[in-house]
Amino acid sequence: MKKEQTEIFLVDANNIIYRSFFAIKAFTTSTGEPTNAVFGFVSTLFKILRDYKPERIAVVFDTPAPTFRHKILQEYKIARKPMPPELSAQIPVIKEIIKYAGIASIEKESYEADDIIACLALKFAEENCDVVILSGDKDILQILSRRIQIINPGTWERIDEKVFFEKYGFFPCNIVDYLALSGDASDSIPGVRGIGEKTASTLIREFKTIENLYQNINALSGKKKELLLSGKESAFLSKRLVQLNCNIPIDISVQDIKRNQPDLDKISEIFNKLEFKKFNKEIKEVFGLKDEISFFQDVLAIGDRVFAFEGILNNPSHFERYLKDASVEKIGSGIKEKIKLLVKKNMHLSQPYFDLEVASFLTGKKFSSADILTQKALYQQILSSEEMDFLFHSIEMPLIEVLADMEMTGILVDVEYLEALKKEYANEMNMLQESIYNNAGEVFNINSPGQVAKILYQRLGLPSGKKTKAGYSTDTEALSRLRTRHKIVDLILQYRELAKLCNTYIEGFSSFINPDDSRIHPEYQQAVASTGRLVCRNPNLQAIPVRTERGGKIRKVFIAGEDATLYSFDYNQIELRILAHFSNDPVLVESFKKGRDIHLETAKQLFSFETNSLFESQEIEKYRRIAKTINFGIIYGMNSYGLSNRLDCSVEEAQAFIDAYFAKFRGVRSYIQKLIEQAEKNRYAITLFGRKRYLPEIIAENRNQKEFARRVAINMPIQGTASELIKIAMIKIHQFLKKENLKSNLILQIHDELVFEICNVEIEIVEKIRQLMEEVYNLNVPLSVDVQKGKNYLEMSKI
């Protein structure tokens, strides 16, 4: 243990960041901000801090500037695509987290992280320190020694000299000779054409170095000798590229990389913004600090009296009059969970509430004082000064009881159908597997991207595109382009769809079914999404598939109970209606007031046709689809590049569409310009009810960061206002159901949609619910709700 505490950790930041970015797909905040690289990096960093507890650690970065390797070979790393803007926008966030974690961050112009790490590792090893390097790059293995070890972040395998020799059969210093022969496609190290890893390994085991190999080249014969002779120049060039530069002028001591005191409030603030609730819960454990907030999590204040919550649970009848007293506030953290625990004791915790966790999330502040009443006063002061009193007291706090009731009610599952669907999809997967093997001509692991790539691009010779560091891509986008090239591609895509449905939904949902009532009781979180949207977890029922026929069948799993029917109430185009309200654009306002199809109206404005003209219906539908994409693109601040991808057209055409839209919808153009100007002035975006999202990036010099902040400035007020309106509707409907003492229940919220389980004898409330939703707030355009009903969530008919 003592040895571990004296180890120095050197982390190859870019290696982990790239690995995370390409391994974690479609990981964003509720507003679309990419966070996959940050999430992966933080996961790795937290594992290091938690498992190894290093006292000295440094994170080392590459810089964009060319290195000496580019001078040796202009094609160096040319195969690696430029850093995607979605990734480059995350780098400053990662550096900010490292800074507030009290960890040294190192980079040096014109030098790669590998070279800097090698210099520092050798320097510290000479000073009798043990060094652990975290990197998945092979070239760093050349400096392995008695005092230098390497951990591969992909496997967390610790590699020392012994492990290396057992794997390769030669010493670490000769990895440069091995790579000089075999090459490294991810870094454009050419190697010797025709010499693979197996042959390279055999040669280095025998000859040790390429210098010795070529001095004894006549000991070889045949094709191997011929390939080596023709590739001699490339081999020596490759070795120069692979060899690390251990003579960098860098003045960093062991003391310089000692961990400093972390700023947990700043880290927590970043995690809140990124919607990383998982990490926020782990902060104190990771940094080895005691949980200062455990006191107020386990207490409940009623008015100015503070009680231990455990004591309340142990003797609830003694506290009944306090719990039911509607004249005083109930102050605590995690009030929703406290409500559910008290219900099990046949006790009700009456409103009003003051939840410290929600207050912390809204204000972006975290107070470590153990005095629960002091914290309440501090949060209340900020809420008032920031004009968020109505948002907190009239929306977020009453919503807690609504969510607690939804979670306790749950949604009924047809367990027999779920089991039947599981068998159906398993059989279908088996049939697809056999077809895939027959088309491939061999058996392979369909779940392995590497093996799929080998079959498609090597065995079947399909066009592979550019090679990335992770190899030739076999993701959905890459395979979709090959769908018409070979039957096996479509079969693999079908197999993957079924695998995801089985693993994520069928198996995933099954594990959450309560055997006592055959219902799933998900959790709804208020303090995650910066727009105010509710987040559903354990499991996520807001992501039930619907786009494909197979995915749609999952919806049939959810059913109404006996003598009840499922009803879906879905706000029609609520975000576009909010855009019309905010922008007061005459075309949008008139279209919604007259109940017209907004996408068709937009198409008419952009493409100048009338529905009674000679345009064929198929042609009209095509233009309507384009208009719909543009409408939603405008809400999300989409630029011409993003729109061109969505419409599969050129960037120039996409820009022409955007220009035409703003020429017709001038009110929208003025509103968006105003939003951006206000965000640049105030450094935040704000919703109708005062929720704020701070955007310091909107004045950043980094173009990608600035563009992202602009998109958020456009979308957040619209999406955030929509989330607040539906929350108010949920509260009003909940109050109505309670007042009328009805048995029907709200059981699911999917952003703009509310799903109810309505008793058949209470059918008259359907129109009342619709009315409450449509009259929730007086916008300058009417709100409209589409209603459907059915015995299950798939087979529903409009009413």
Side-chain angles (χ1 to χ4, degrees):
M1 188 63 156
K2 190 175 180 183
K3 182 183 178 183
E4 283 188 7
Q5 289 179 340
T6 60
E7 287 177 336
I8 293 172
F9 273 71
L10 301 175
V11 181
D12 185 343
N14 289 68
N15 181 264
I16 295 167
I17 290 167
Y18 266 95
R19 181 189 297 272
S20 302
F21 181 78
F22 289 107
I24 305 171
K25 301 292 185 183
F27 203 82
T28 65
T29 64
S30 55
T31 57
E33 178 181 356
T35 56
N36 50 349
V38 185
F39 186 88
F41 182 85
V42 173
S43 297
T44 303
L45 183 64
F46 271 24
K47 182 173 175 62
I48 297 168
L49 299 180
R50 184 192 294 112
D51 293 359
Y52 301 99
K53 299 177 174 58
E55 293 178 359
R56 291 172 173 79
I57 180 172
V59 181
V60 187
F61 287 86
D62 289 339
T63 63
T67 69
F68 72 94
R69 293 182 180 89
H70 293 91
K71 295 175 183 176
I72 297 172
L73 180 65
Q74 287 187 344
E75 291 79 16
Y76 180 62
K77 289 193 176 181
I78 199 170
R80 185 179 294 176
K81 295 178 181 177
M83 184 179 286
E86 298 84 0
L87 174 54
S88 60
Q90 297 180 63
I91 302 292
V93 181
I94 290 170
K95 289 183 177 180
E96 202 171 31
I97 292 169
I98 294 167
K99 179 179 76 172
Y100 291 127
I103 293 171
S105 178
I106 301 170
E107 59 184 61
K108 192 171 179 64
E109 187 105 344
S110 302
Y111 293 100
E112 293 184 41
D114 282 355
D115 298 310
I116 298 170
I117 288 172
C119 283
L120 291 175
L122 293 171
K123 177 179 183 290
F124 296 149
E126 286 176 6
E127 296 169 4
N128 296 319
C129 297
D130 293 321
V131 181
V132 179
I133 297 167
L134 205 80
S135 176
D137 277 353
K138 287 180 181 176
D139 52 4
I140 199 69
L141 294 168
Q142 63 192 270
I143 63 167
L144 278 172
S145 70
R146 184 174 62 86
R147 287 201 172 275
I148 300 173
Q149 297 183 356
I150 290 165
I151 293 176
N152 186 324
T155 61
W156 291 96
E157 174 191 20
R158 189 181 275 236
I159 305 167
D160 57 18
E161 289 178 300
K162 182 181 176 183
V163 172
F164 180 92
F165 193 84
E166 287 173 354
K167 180 177 181 179
Y168 288 97
F170 50 82
F171 293 107
C173 61
N174 297 127
I175 191 76
V176 294
D177 301 280
Y178 165 81
L179 293 172
L181 297 178
S182 64
D184 185 350
S186 64
D187 282 343
S188 293
I189 305 298
V192 175
R193 185 181 292 276
I195 300 294
E197 293 181 355
K198 188 175 179 180
T199 303
S201 180
T202 302
L203 290 169
I204 298 307
R205 286 179 185 182
E206 181 178 355
F207 295 99
K208 312 304 181 195
T209 66
I210 61 170
E211 287 82 3
N212 191 44
L213 168 64
Y214 279 101
Q215 284 173 10
N216 296 279
I217 195 70
N218 290 328
L220 303 175
S221 60
K223 183 70 172 176
K224 191 186 297 182
K225 179 180 179 181
E226 187 180 317
L227 289 170
L228 287 167
L229 286 171
S230 63
K232 182 177 179 180
E233 184 179 344
S234 180
F236 281 93
L237 172 65
S238 298
K239 184 169 180 176
R240 289 177 65 199
L241 293 171
V242 172
Q243 281 180 319
L244 296 173
N245 180 358
C246 299
N247 296 304
I248 300 174
I250 188 163
D251 185 22
I252 292 176
S253 69
V254 171
Q255 194 61 29
D256 292 332
I257 59 173
K258 188 174 182 179
R259 284 171 63 182
N260 294 317
Q261 189 71 18
D263 187 335
L264 300 193
D265 287 342
K266 287 287 187 182
I267 296 174
S268 180
E269 191 177 316
I270 295 170
F271 287 169
N272 278 333
K273 183 179 175 183
L274 299 175
E275 301 169 11
F276 286 174
K277 188 166 186 179
K278 171 184 183 292
F279 293 137
N280 245 337
K281 289 181 176 179
E282 299 175 1
I283 286 177
K284 292 182 182 293
E285 175 203 349
V286 167
F287 289 96
L289 301 174
K290 291 182 179 179
D291 192 350
E292 295 169 340
I293 64 170
S294 60
F295 174 81
F296 77 75
Q297 284 181 336
D298 293 333
V299 298
L300 181 70
I302 301 176
D304 58 359
R305 301 188 63 180
V306 181
F307 303 98
F309 189 66
E310 186 177 357
I312 294 175
L313 286 178
N314 289 337
N315 191 8
S317 59
H318 176 74
F319 295 92
E320 184 174 6
R321 65 190 179 98
Y322 300 112
L323 299 173
K324 289 185 175 180
D325 189 347
S327 66
V328 293
E329 245 176 357
K330 318 305 185 297
I331 306 155
S333 186
I335 287 180
K336 175 162 61 72
E337 298 309 310
K338 287 180 169 65
I339 292 171
K340 290 159 66 177
L341 289 169
L342 286 167
V343 166
K344 291 179 181 179
K345 301 285 186 176
N346 295 314
M347 285 290 161
H348 175 68
L349 186 67
S350 68
Q351 297 188 50
Y353 310 135
F354 195 106
D355 192 296
L356 299 168
E357 185 180 1
V358 178
S360 173
F361 179 72
L362 277 183
T363 60
K365 303 295 182 183
K366 197 167 188 175
F367 300 111
S368 58
S369 167
D371 182 348
I372 188 173
L373 296 176
T374 299
Q375 290 189 57
K376 185 256 178 178
L378 290 170
Y379 283 126
Q380 182 55 64
Q381 185 179 357
I382 299 171
L383 289 167
S384 298
S385 65
E386 294 290 330
E387 299 183 344
M388 288 194 284
D389 274 322
F390 181 84
L391 174 64
F392 182 77
H393 292 291
S394 299
I395 300 180
E396 295 298 342
M397 290 303 96
L399 185 69
I400 290 174
E401 185 175 283
V402 182
L403 299 180
D405 279 5
M406 286 174 65
E407 291 179 10
M408 288 185 288
T409 303
I411 184 168
L412 188 61
V413 174
D414 187 337
V415 178
E416 289 184 8
Y417 173 75
L418 185 62
E419 284 299 314
L421 191 61
K422 181 179 178 179
K423 290 177 183 176
E424 177 188 331
Y425 284 175
N427 290 334
E428 197 171 345
M429 284 179 71
N430 287 334
M431 292 171 61
L432 283 168
Q433 182 175 274
E434 288 304 312
S435 295
I436 290 168
Y437 291 159
N438 289 335
N439 277 273
E442 64 176 87
V443 174
F444 65 100
N445 183 356
I446 305 170
N447 297 311
S448 166
Q451 292 189 35
V452 170
K454 187 176 180 181
I455 292 295
L456 298 182
Y457 305 136
Q458 294 182 28
R459 183 174 179 84
L460 300 178
L462 298 179
S464 56
K466 288 185 178 180
K467 190 172 185 181
T468 66
K469 190 164 189 176
Y472 293 114
S473 176
T474 60
D475 62 15
T476 302
E477 184 183 349
L479 294 194
S480 296
R481 291 195 293 265
L482 300 173
R483 213 161 195 156
T484 59
R485 296 293 191 107
H486 198 288
K487 183 181 178 182
I488 194 174
V489 178
D490 188 60
L491 296 172
I492 291 172
L493 286 169
Q494 289 186 57
Y495 180 90
R496 284 183 178 177
E497 179 192 5
L498 283 168
K500 181 173 176 61
L501 292 174
C502 289
N503 296 331
T504 304
Y505 299 106
I506 295 178
E507 293 294 343
F509 289 167
S510 296
S511 63
F512 287 103
I513 298 172
N514 187 323
D516 295 333
D517 59 9
S518 296
R519 288 177 179 263
I520 288 176
H521 300 266
E523 299 172 29
Y524 289 93
Q525 297 176 299
Q526 293 169 268
V528 175
S530 57
T531 58
R533 273 189 165 192
L534 290 174
V535 172
C536 183
R537 63 187 287 271
N538 293 334
N540 180 7
L541 296 183
Q542 293 177 325
I544 303 171
V546 67
R547 293 182 182 276
T548 65
E549 184 180 348
R550 289 191 185 106
K553 286 183 179 180
I554 302 291
R555 290 188 157 223
K556 197 174 179 180
V557 165
F558 301 104
I559 59 174
E562 191 176 353
D563 299 324
T565 304
L566 291 185
Y567 281 82
S568 163
F569 295 78
D570 193 358
Y571 275 116
N572 178 288
Q573 310 291 0
I574 189 170
E575 291 186 351
L576 285 170
R577 291 173 191 270
I578 290 169
L579 175 64
H581 172 79
F582 280 145
S583 68
N584 209 20
D585 183 273
V587 180
L588 281 182
V589 171
E590 184 185 12
S591 296
F592 282 124
K593 281 185 174 179
K594 294 189 175 179
R596 295 171 181 162
D597 179 335
I598 189 61
H599 301 313
L600 187 58
E601 290 301 307
T602 303
K604 288 180 184 179
Q605 293 290 327
L606 295 181
F607 304 111
S608 303
F609 68 85
E610 293 294 333
T611 49
N612 60 359
S613 70
L614 298 178
F615 267 65
E616 296 182 10
S617 59
Q618 194 173 8
E619 192 77 4
I620 290 174
E621 184 54 36
K622 169 190 165 186
Y623 286 121
R624 184 186 180 279
R625 280 197 303 271
I626 294 173
K628 182 178 180 180
T629 304
I630 295 170
N631 276 332
F632 287 117
I634 294 299
I635 290 175
Y636 287 93
M638 190 182 294
N639 59 21
S640 56
Y641 178 76
L643 186 61
S644 70
N645 285 334
R646 293 286 184 91
L647 295 177
D648 194 22
C649 66
S650 69
V651 174
E652 291 74 22
E653 286 178 292
Q655 187 60 53
F657 286 141
I658 292 172
D659 292 341
Y661 180 93
F662 284 133
K664 296 290 184 180
F665 297 89
R666 295 184 180 181
V668 176
R669 180 180 61 186
S670 298
Y671 167 66
I672 287 175
Q673 288 173 342
K674 182 182 175 183
L675 277 181
I676 293 172
E677 288 170 4
Q678 287 177 338
E680 288 175 341
K681 177 184 176 183
N682 301 323
R683 310 286 193 272
Y684 61 74
I686 187 168
T687 65
L688 181 63
F689 297 97
R691 185 185 306 272
K692 294 175 182 175
R693 173 163 180 179
Y694 286 89
L695 297 168
E697 307 94 336
I698 201 152
I699 58 165
E701 292 183 10
N702 182 295
R703 184 168 173 262
N704 292 323
Q705 283 185 283
K706 188 175 183 121
E707 285 301 312
F708 170 77
R710 287 185 168 209
R711 291 196 296 273
V712 173
I714 295 166
N715 172 252
M716 193 271 182
I718 297 170
Q719 192 178 94
T721 299
S723 74
E724 289 160 0
L725 289 178
I726 201 164
K727 284 178 179 179
I728 296 171
M730 291 167 71
I731 294 164
K732 289 181 179 293
I733 294 166
H734 179 74
Q735 291 169 344
F736 163 71
L737 295 177
K738 277 183 66 179
K739 181 182 177 184
E740 299 298 323
N741 198 26
L742 298 170
K743 294 182 180 179
S744 300
N745 288 296
L746 171 59
I747 58 172
L748 190 61
Q749 191 257 36
I750 307 178
H751 305 311
D752 303 336
E753 177 188 10
L754 299 179
V755 180
F756 290 80
E757 189 175 22
I758 296 181
C759 299
N760 293 336
V761 294
E762 297 174 352
I763 194 77
E764 72 278 358
I765 70 170
V766 171
E767 285 308 312
K768 178 64 176 178
I769 292 172
R770 190 206 297 257
Q771 178 189 351
L772 286 170
M773 290 180 71
E774 290 183 340
E775 296 177 358
V776 69
Y777 189 83
N778 187 27
L779 298 178
N780 63 10
V781 296
L783 289 171
S784 176
V785 174
D786 298 326
V787 184
Q788 291 184 303
K789 70 173 184 175
K791 284 302 291 182
N792 63 65
Y793 194 38
L794 173 66
E795 298 164 332
M796 303 188 84
S797 55
K798 193 169 184 178
I799 60 172

